[in-house]
Amino acid sequence: MATIASRLQQVEQRIAHACAEAGRSVDSVTLLPVSKTVDPARLREAHAAGLRRFGENYVQEALAKMDALADLDPRIEWH
């Protein structure tokens, strides 16, 4: 199983390639991983890999994760 860091690197390379093909700046794209059904331990791994934004579908699930990950610095931006 690939690590989140290695998968993130692959996704960032794909974004960079797509931006180059479209003549866009990589800075014009915001990656928003969806954390629906992902447990806080995996989100900690994603945070360690450099991810800071996550999308959730249900407020009750987001609130539980916010509490579980409140100690992270820098903090997560939830959407």
Side-chain angles (χ1 to χ4, degrees):
M1 183 168 161
T3 66
I4 290 176
S6 67
R7 292 290 294 146
L8 176 59
Q9 185 178 19
Q10 292 172 357
V11 169
E12 288 174 339
Q13 288 172 351
R14 290 179 62 196
I15 290 170
H17 178 76
C19 285
E21 291 277 315
R24 290 180 60 177
S25 166
V26 174
D27 294 335
S28 71
V29 175
T30 300
L31 177 63
L32 184 62
V34 176
S35 57
K36 178 181 175 184
T37 73
V38 177
D39 65 76
R42 292 285 286 169
L43 294 179
R44 282 185 184 279
E45 183 184 349
H47 186 273
L51 294 170
R52 298 295 181 263
R53 295 181 182 102
F54 294 98
E56 275 290 333
N57 281 3
Y58 301 106
V59 172
Q60 62 273 25
E61 289 180 23
L63 291 174
K65 291 174 186 177
M66 287 175 188
D67 286 343
L69 302 171
D71 63 311
L72 293 177
D73 188 32
R75 295 181 93 94
I76 291 174
E77 181 182 315
W78 296 96
H79 295 265

Coordinates of all heavy atoms in Angstrom, one line a residue:
M1 N 0.8 -1.2 0.0 CA 0.0 0.0 0.0 C 0.9 1.2 0.0 O 1.8 1.4 0.8 CB -0.9 0.0 1.2 CG -1.9 1.1 1.3 SD -3.0 0.6 2.7 CE -3.7 2.1 3.1
A2 N 0.6 2.2 -0.9 CA 1.4 3.4 -1.0 C 1.1 4.3 0.2 O 0.0 4.3 0.7 CB 1.0 4.1 -2.3
T3 N 2.1 5.0 0.6 CA 1.9 6.0 1.7 C 1.2 7.2 1.1 O 1.1 7.5 -0.1 CB 3.2 6.5 2.2 OG1 4.0 7.2 1.2 CG2 4.1 5.3 2.7
I4 N 0.6 8.0 2.0 CA -0.1 9.2 1.6 C 0.9 10.1 1.0 O 0.6 10.8 0.0 CB -0.8 9.8 2.8 CG1 -2.0 9.0 3.2 CG2 -1.3 11.3 2.5 CD1 -2.8 9.4 4.4
A5 N 2.1 10.2 1.6 CA 3.1 11.1 1.0 C 3.5 10.8 -0.4 O 3.6 11.7 -1.3 CB 4.4 11.1 1.9
S6 N 3.6 9.5 -0.7 CA 4.0 9.1 -2.1 C 2.8 9.3 -3.0 O 3.0 9.8 -4.2 CB 4.4 7.7 -2.1 OG 3.4 6.8 -1.8
R7 N 1.6 9.1 -2.6 CA 0.4 9.3 -3.4 C 0.2 10.8 -3.7 O -0.1 11.3 -4.8 CB -0.9 8.8 -2.8 CG -0.9 7.2 -2.8 CD -1.0 6.6 -4.2 NE -2.3 7.0 -4.7 CZ -2.6 7.2 -6.0 NH1 -1.6 7.1 -6.9 NH2 -3.8 7.5 -6.4
L8 N 0.5 11.6 -2.6 CA 0.4 13.1 -2.8 C 1.4 13.6 -3.8 O 1.1 14.4 -4.6 CB 0.6 13.8 -1.4 CG 0.7 15.3 -1.4 CD1 -0.6 15.9 -2.0 CD2 1.0 15.8 0.0
Q9 N 2.6 13.1 -3.8 CA 3.6 13.5 -4.7 C 3.1 13.1 -6.2 O 3.3 14.0 -7.1 CB 4.9 12.8 -4.4 CG 6.1 13.2 -5.3 CD 7.4 12.5 -5.0 OE1 7.4 11.5 -4.3 NE2 8.5 13.1 -5.4
Q10 N 2.5 12.0 -6.4 CA 2.0 11.6 -7.7 C 0.9 12.6 -8.1 O 0.9 13.0 -9.3 CB 1.5 10.2 -7.7 CG 2.6 9.1 -7.5 CD 2.0 7.8 -7.3 OE1 0.8 7.6 -7.2 NE2 2.9 6.8 -7.1
V11 N 0.0 12.9 -7.2 CA -1.1 13.8 -7.5 C -0.6 15.2 -7.9 O -1.0 15.8 -8.9 CB -2.1 13.9 -6.4 CG1 -3.1 15.0 -6.6 CG2 -2.8 12.6 -6.2
E12 N 0.4 15.7 -7.1 CA 1.0 17.0 -7.4 C 1.7 17.0 -8.7 O 1.6 18.0 -9.5 CB 1.9 17.4 -6.3 CG 1.2 17.8 -5.0 CD 2.1 18.0 -3.8 OE1 3.2 17.6 -3.8 OE2 1.6 18.7 -2.9
Q13 N 2.3 15.9 -9.1 CA 3.0 15.8 -10.4 C 1.9 15.9 -11.5 O 2.1 16.5 -12.6 CB 3.8 14.6 -10.5 CG 5.1 14.6 -9.7 CD 5.8 13.3 -9.7 OE1 5.3 12.2 -10.1 NE2 7.0 13.3 -9.1
R14 N 0.8 15.2 -11.3 CA -0.3 15.2 -12.3 C -0.9 16.6 -12.4 O -1.2 17.0 -13.6 CB -1.4 14.2 -11.9 CG -0.9 12.7 -12.1 CD -2.0 11.7 -11.7 NE -3.1 11.9 -12.6 CZ -4.3 11.4 -12.3 NH1 -4.5 10.7 -11.2 NH2 -5.3 11.6 -13.1
I15 N -1.0 17.3 -11.3 CA -1.6 18.6 -11.4 C -0.6 19.5 -12.1 O -1.0 20.3 -13.0 CB -1.8 19.2 -9.9 CG1 -3.0 18.5 -9.3 CG2 -2.0 20.7 -9.9 CD1 -3.2 18.7 -7.8
A16 N 0.7 19.4 -11.8 CA 1.7 20.2 -12.5 C 1.7 20.0 -14.0 O 1.8 20.9 -14.8 CB 3.1 20.0 -11.9
H17 N 1.6 18.7 -14.4 CA 1.5 18.4 -15.8 C 0.3 19.0 -16.5 O 0.4 19.6 -17.6 CB 1.5 16.8 -16.0 CG 1.5 16.4 -17.4 ND1 2.5 16.5 -18.3 CD2 0.4 15.9 -18.1 CE1 2.1 16.1 -19.5 NE2 0.9 15.7 -19.4
A18 N -0.9 18.8 -15.8 CA -2.1 19.4 -16.4 C -2.0 20.9 -16.5 O -2.5 21.5 -17.5 CB -3.3 19.0 -15.5
C19 N -1.5 21.5 -15.5 CA -1.3 23.0 -15.6 C -0.4 23.4 -16.7 O -0.7 24.4 -17.4 CB -0.8 23.5 -14.2 SG -2.0 23.5 -12.9
A20 N 0.7 22.7 -16.9 CA 1.6 23.0 -18.0 C 0.9 22.9 -19.3 O 1.0 23.7 -20.2 CB 2.8 22.1 -17.9
E21 N 0.1 21.8 -19.5 CA -0.6 21.6 -20.7 C -1.7 22.7 -21.0 O -1.9 23.0 -22.1 CB -1.4 20.2 -20.6 CG -0.5 19.0 -20.7 CD -0.1 18.6 -22.1 OE1 -0.9 18.6 -22.9 OE2 1.1 18.3 -22.3
A22 N -2.3 23.2 -19.9 CA -3.3 24.2 -20.0 C -2.8 25.6 -20.0 O -3.5 26.6 -20.1 CB -4.3 24.0 -18.9
G23 N -1.4 25.8 -19.8 CA -0.9 27.1 -19.7 C -1.2 27.8 -18.4 O -1.3 29.1 -18.4
R24 N -1.5 27.1 -17.4 CA -1.9 27.7 -16.1 C -0.8 27.5 -15.1 O 0.1 26.6 -15.2 CB -3.1 27.0 -15.5 CG -4.4 27.2 -16.2 CD -5.5 26.5 -15.6 NE -5.8 26.9 -14.2 CZ -6.8 26.5 -13.5 NH1 -7.6 25.6 -14.0 NH2 -6.9 26.9 -12.2
S25 N -0.8 28.4 -14.1 CA 0.2 28.3 -13.0 C -0.3 27.3 -12.0 O -1.5 27.1 -11.7 CB 0.2 29.7 -12.3 OG 0.9 29.5 -11.1
V26 N 0.6 26.5 -11.5 CA 0.3 25.5 -10.5 C -0.3 26.2 -9.3 O -1.2 25.6 -8.6 CB 1.5 24.7 -10.1 CG1 1.2 23.7 -8.9 CG2 2.0 23.9 -11.3
D27 N 0.1 27.4 -9.0 CA -0.5 28.1 -7.9 C -1.9 28.5 -8.0 O -2.6 28.9 -7.1 CB 0.3 29.4 -7.6 CG 1.8 29.1 -7.2 OD1 2.0 28.1 -6.6 OD2 2.6 30.0 -7.5
S28 N -2.5 28.3 -9.2 CA -3.9 28.7 -9.5 C -4.8 27.5 -9.1 O -6.0 27.6 -9.2 CB -4.1 29.1 -10.9 OG -4.0 28.0 -11.8
V29 N -4.2 26.4 -8.7 CA -5.0 25.2 -8.4 C -4.9 24.9 -6.9 O -3.8 25.0 -6.3 CB -4.5 23.9 -9.2 CG1 -5.2 22.7 -8.8 CG2 -4.6 24.2 -10.7
T30 N -6.0 24.6 -6.3 CA -6.1 24.2 -4.9 C -6.5 22.8 -4.8 O -7.6 22.4 -5.2 CB -7.0 25.1 -4.1 OG1 -6.6 26.5 -4.2 CG2 -7.1 24.7 -2.6
L31 N -5.7 21.9 -4.2 CA -6.0 20.6 -3.9 C -6.9 20.5 -2.7 O -6.4 21.0 -1.6 CB -4.8 19.7 -3.8 CG -5.0 18.2 -3.5 CD1 -5.7 17.5 -4.6 CD2 -3.6 17.6 -3.2
L32 N -8.0 19.9 -2.7 CA -8.9 19.7 -1.6 C -9.2 18.2 -1.4 O -10.2 17.7 -1.9 CB -10.2 20.5 -1.7 CG -11.1 20.5 -0.5 CD1 -10.4 21.1 0.7 CD2 -12.4 21.3 -0.8
P33 N -8.4 17.5 -0.6 CA -8.7 16.1 -0.4 C -10.0 16.0 0.4 O -10.3 16.8 1.3 CB -7.5 15.6 0.5 CG -6.5 16.7 0.3 CD -7.2 18.0 0.0
V34 N -10.7 14.9 0.1 CA -12.0 14.6 0.9 C -11.7 13.6 2.0 O -11.1 12.6 1.7 CB -13.0 14.1 -0.1 CG1 -14.3 13.7 0.7 CG2 -13.3 15.1 -1.2
S35 N -12.0 14.0 3.2 CA -11.7 13.2 4.3 C -12.9 12.3 4.8 O -12.8 11.7 5.9 CB -11.1 14.0 5.5 OG -12.1 15.0 5.8
K36 N -13.9 12.3 4.0 CA -15.1 11.5 4.3 C -14.7 10.1 4.6 O -14.0 9.5 3.7 CB -16.1 11.6 3.2 CG -17.4 10.9 3.4 CD -18.3 11.0 2.2 CE -19.5 10.1 2.3 NZ -20.4 10.2 1.1
T37 N -15.1 9.5 5.7 CA -14.9 8.1 6.1 C -13.4 7.8 6.4 O -13.1 6.7 6.7 CB -15.4 7.1 5.0 OG1 -14.5 7.0 3.9 CG2 -16.8 7.3 4.6
V38 N -12.6 8.8 6.5 CA -11.2 8.6 6.8 C -11.0 8.9 8.3 O -11.4 9.9 8.8 CB -10.3 9.6 6.0 CG1 -8.8 9.5 6.4 CG2 -10.5 9.4 4.5
D39 N -10.3 8.0 8.9 CA -10.1 8.1 10.4 C -9.0 9.1 10.7 O -8.2 9.4 9.9 CB -9.8 6.7 11.0 CG -8.5 6.2 10.6 OD1 -7.5 6.6 11.1 OD2 -8.5 5.2 9.8
P40 N -9.1 9.7 11.9 CA -8.1 10.7 12.3 C -6.6 10.3 12.2 O -5.8 11.1 11.9 CB -8.5 11.0 13.7 CG -9.9 10.8 13.8 CD -10.1 9.5 12.9
A41 N -6.3 9.0 12.4 CA -4.9 8.6 12.3 C -4.4 8.8 10.8 O -3.3 9.2 10.6 CB -4.8 7.1 12.7
R42 N -5.2 8.5 9.8 CA -4.8 8.7 8.5 C -4.7 10.2 8.1 O -3.9 10.6 7.4 CB -5.8 8.0 7.5 CG -5.8 6.5 7.6 CD -4.6 5.9 6.9 NE -4.8 6.0 5.4 CZ -3.8 5.7 4.6 NH1 -2.6 5.3 5.0 NH2 -4.0 5.8 3.3
L43 N -5.6 11.0 8.7 CA -5.6 12.4 8.5 C -4.3 13.0 9.1 O -3.7 14.0 8.6 CB -6.8 13.1 9.1 CG -8.1 12.8 8.4 CD1 -9.3 13.5 9.0 CD2 -8.0 13.1 6.9
R44 N -3.8 12.4 10.3 CA -2.6 12.9 10.8 C -1.4 12.6 9.9 O -0.5 13.4 9.7 CB -2.3 12.2 12.2 CG -3.1 12.7 13.3 CD -2.7 12.1 14.6 NE -3.5 12.7 15.7 CZ -3.3 13.8 16.3 NH1 -2.3 14.6 16.0 NH2 -4.2 14.3 17.2
E45 N -1.5 11.4 9.2 CA -0.5 11.1 8.2 C -0.5 12.0 7.1 O 0.5 12.5 6.6 CB -0.7 9.6 7.7 CG 0.3 9.2 6.7 CD 0.1 7.8 6.2 OE1 -0.8 7.1 6.7 OE2 0.8 7.4 5.2
A46 N -1.7 12.4 6.6 CA -1.9 13.4 5.5 C -1.3 14.7 5.9 O -0.7 15.4 5.1 CB -3.3 13.5 5.1
H47 N -1.6 15.1 7.2 CA -1.1 16.4 7.7 C 0.4 16.4 7.7 O 1.1 17.3 7.3 CB -1.7 16.6 9.1 CG -1.3 18.0 9.6 ND1 -0.1 18.2 10.3 CD2 -2.0 19.2 9.6 CE1 -0.1 19.5 10.7 NE2 -1.2 20.1 10.3
A48 N 1.0 15.3 8.1 CA 2.5 15.1 8.2 C 3.1 15.2 6.8 O 4.2 15.7 6.6 CB 2.9 13.8 8.8
A49 N 2.3 14.8 5.8 CA 2.7 14.9 4.4 C 2.6 16.3 3.8 O 3.1 16.5 2.7 CB 1.9 13.9 3.5
G50 N 2.0 17.2 4.5 CA 1.9 18.6 4.1 C 0.5 19.0 3.7 O 0.3 20.2 3.4
L51 N -0.5 18.2 3.8 CA -1.9 18.6 3.5 C -2.5 19.4 4.7 O -2.3 19.0 5.8 CB -2.8 17.4 3.2 CG -2.4 16.7 1.9 CD1 -3.1 15.4 1.8 CD2 -2.6 17.5 0.7
R52 N -3.2 20.5 4.4 CA -3.7 21.3 5.4 C -5.2 21.6 5.2 O -5.8 22.2 6.1 CB -3.0 22.7 5.4 CG -1.5 22.6 5.8 CD -1.3 22.1 7.2 NE 0.1 22.0 7.5 CZ 0.9 20.9 7.4 NH1 0.3 19.8 7.0 NH2 2.1 20.9 7.8
R53 N -5.8 21.2 4.1 CA -7.2 21.5 3.8 C -7.9 20.1 3.6 O -7.3 19.2 2.9 CB -7.4 22.3 2.5 CG -6.8 23.7 2.6 CD -7.1 24.4 1.3 NE -6.6 25.7 1.4 CZ -5.4 26.1 0.8 NH1 -4.7 25.2 0.1 NH2 -5.0 27.3 0.9
F54 N -9.0 20.0 4.1 CA -9.8 18.7 3.9 C -11.3 19.1 3.8 O -11.8 20.0 4.4 CB -9.6 17.8 5.1 CG -8.3 17.3 5.3 CD1 -7.4 17.9 6.2 CD2 -7.8 16.2 4.5 CE1 -6.1 17.4 6.3 CE2 -6.5 15.7 4.6 CZ -5.6 16.3 5.5
G55 N -12.0 18.3 3.0 CA -13.4 18.5 2.8 C -14.2 17.3 3.5 O -13.8 16.2 3.4
E56 N -15.2 17.7 4.1 CA -16.1 16.8 4.8 C -17.6 17.0 4.3 O -17.9 18.0 3.9 CB -16.1 17.0 6.3 CG -15.0 16.3 7.1 CD -15.1 14.8 7.1 OE1 -16.2 14.3 7.1 OE2 -14.1 14.2 7.2
N57 N -18.3 15.9 4.3 CA -19.7 16.0 3.9 C -20.7 16.2 5.1 O -21.7 16.9 4.9 CB -20.2 14.7 3.2 CG -19.7 14.6 1.8 OD1 -19.0 15.5 1.3 ND2 -20.1 13.6 1.1
Y58 N -20.4 15.7 6.2 CA -21.3 15.8 7.4 C -20.7 16.5 8.5 O -19.6 16.2 9.0 CB -21.7 14.4 7.8 CG -22.4 13.6 6.7 CD1 -21.7 12.6 6.0 CD2 -23.7 14.0 6.2 CE1 -22.3 11.9 5.0 CE2 -24.3 13.3 5.2 CZ -23.6 12.3 4.6 OH -24.2 11.6 3.5
V59 N -21.4 17.5 9.0 CA -20.9 18.3 10.1 C -20.5 17.5 11.3 O -19.5 17.7 12.0 CB -21.9 19.4 10.5 CG1 -21.5 20.1 11.8 CG2 -22.1 20.4 9.4
Q60 N -21.4 16.5 11.7 CA -21.1 15.7 12.9 C -19.8 14.9 12.8 O -19.0 14.8 13.7 CB -22.3 14.8 13.2 CG -22.6 13.7 12.2 CD -23.6 14.2 11.1 OE1 -23.7 15.4 10.8 NE2 -24.3 13.3 10.5
E61 N -19.5 14.4 11.6 CA -18.2 13.7 11.4 C -17.0 14.7 11.4 O -16.0 14.4 12.0 CB -18.2 13.0 10.0 CG -19.1 11.8 10.0 CD -19.1 11.0 8.7 OE1 -18.1 11.1 8.0 OE2 -20.0 10.3 8.4
A62 N -17.2 15.9 10.8 CA -16.2 16.9 10.8 C -15.9 17.4 12.3 O -14.7 17.5 12.6 CB -16.6 18.1 10.0
L63 N -16.9 17.6 13.1 CA -16.7 18.0 14.4 C -15.9 17.0 15.3 O -15.0 17.4 16.0 CB -18.0 18.3 15.1 CG -18.8 19.5 14.6 CD1 -20.2 19.6 15.2 CD2 -18.0 20.8 14.8
A64 N -16.2 15.7 15.1 CA -15.4 14.7 15.8 C -13.9 14.7 15.4 O -13.0 14.6 16.2 CB -16.0 13.3 15.5
K65 N -13.7 14.9 14.1 CA -12.3 15.0 13.6 C -11.6 16.2 14.0 O -10.4 16.2 14.3 CB -12.3 14.8 12.0 CG -12.7 13.4 11.6 CD -12.8 13.3 10.1 CE -13.4 12.0 9.7 NZ -13.6 11.8 8.3
M66 N -12.3 17.3 14.0 CA -11.7 18.6 14.5 C -11.3 18.5 15.9 O -10.2 18.9 16.3 CB -12.8 19.7 14.4 CG -13.1 20.2 13.0 SD -14.4 21.4 13.1 CE -14.7 21.6 11.3
D67 N -12.1 17.8 16.8 CA -11.7 17.6 18.2 C -10.4 16.7 18.2 O -9.5 17.0 19.0 CB -12.8 17.0 19.0 CG -13.9 18.0 19.3 OD1 -13.7 19.2 19.2 OD2 -15.0 17.5 19.6
A68 N -10.5 15.6 17.5 CA -9.4 14.6 17.5 C -8.0 15.2 17.0 O -7.0 14.7 17.4 CB -9.7 13.4 16.7
L69 N -8.1 16.2 16.1 CA -6.9 16.8 15.5 C -6.6 18.2 15.9 O -5.8 18.9 15.3 CB -7.1 16.7 14.0 CG -7.3 15.3 13.4 CD1 -7.7 15.3 12.0 CD2 -6.1 14.4 13.7
A70 N -7.2 18.7 17.0 CA -7.1 20.0 17.4 C -5.7 20.4 17.8 O -5.3 21.6 17.8 CB -8.0 20.3 18.5
D71 N -4.9 19.4 18.1 CA -3.5 19.6 18.6 C -2.5 19.9 17.4 O -1.4 20.2 17.7 CB -3.0 18.5 19.4 CG -2.9 17.2 18.6 OD1 -3.9 16.8 17.9 OD2 -1.9 16.5 18.7
L72 N -2.9 19.7 16.2 CA -2.0 19.8 15.1 C -1.6 21.3 14.8 O -2.5 22.2 15.0 CB -2.6 19.2 13.8 CG -2.8 17.7 13.8 CD1 -3.5 17.3 12.5 CD2 -1.5 17.0 14.0
D73 N -0.4 21.5 14.5 CA 0.1 22.8 14.2 C 0.9 22.7 12.9 O 1.9 22.0 12.9 CB 0.9 23.3 15.3 CG 1.3 24.8 15.1 OD1 0.5 25.5 14.5 OD2 2.4 25.2 15.6
P74 N 0.7 23.4 11.8 CA -0.5 24.3 11.7 C -1.8 23.6 11.6 O -1.8 22.4 11.2 CB -0.2 25.1 10.4 CG 0.7 24.2 9.6 CD 1.5 23.4 10.6
R75 N -2.8 24.2 12.0 CA -4.2 23.6 12.0 C -4.7 23.3 10.6 O -4.3 23.9 9.6 CB -5.1 24.6 12.7 CG -4.7 24.8 14.2 CD -5.7 25.7 14.8 NE -6.8 25.0 15.5 CZ -6.8 24.7 16.7 NH1 -5.7 25.0 17.5 NH2 -7.8 24.1 17.3
I76 N -5.7 22.4 10.6 CA -6.3 22.0 9.4 C -7.4 23.0 9.1 O -8.1 23.5 10.0 CB -6.9 20.6 9.6 CG1 -5.8 19.6 9.7 CG2 -7.9 20.3 8.4 CD1 -6.3 18.2 10.0
E77 N -7.6 23.3 7.8 CA -8.7 24.1 7.3 C -9.7 23.2 6.8 O -9.5 22.4 5.9 CB -8.1 25.0 6.2 CG -9.1 26.0 5.6 CD -8.5 26.8 4.4 OE1 -7.4 27.3 4.6 OE2 -9.2 26.8 3.4
W78 N -10.9 23.3 7.4 CA -12.0 22.3 7.0 C -13.0 23.0 6.1 O -13.3 24.2 6.2 CB -12.8 21.9 8.3 CG -11.9 21.1 9.2 CD1 -11.2 21.6 10.3 CD2 -11.6 19.8 9.2 NE1 -10.5 20.6 10.9 CE2 -10.7 19.5 10.3 CE3 -12.0 18.7 8.3 CZ2 -10.3 18.2 10.5 CZ3 -11.5 17.4 8.6 CH2 -10.6 17.2 9.6
H79 N -13.5 22.2 5.1 CA -14.4 22.7 4.1 C -15.6 21.7 4.1 O -15.5 20.5 4.3 CB -13.8 22.7 2.7 CG -12.8 23.7 2.6 ND1 -13.0 25.0 2.1 CD2 -11.4 23.7 2.9 CE1 -11.8 25.7 2.2 NE2 -10.9 24.9 2.6

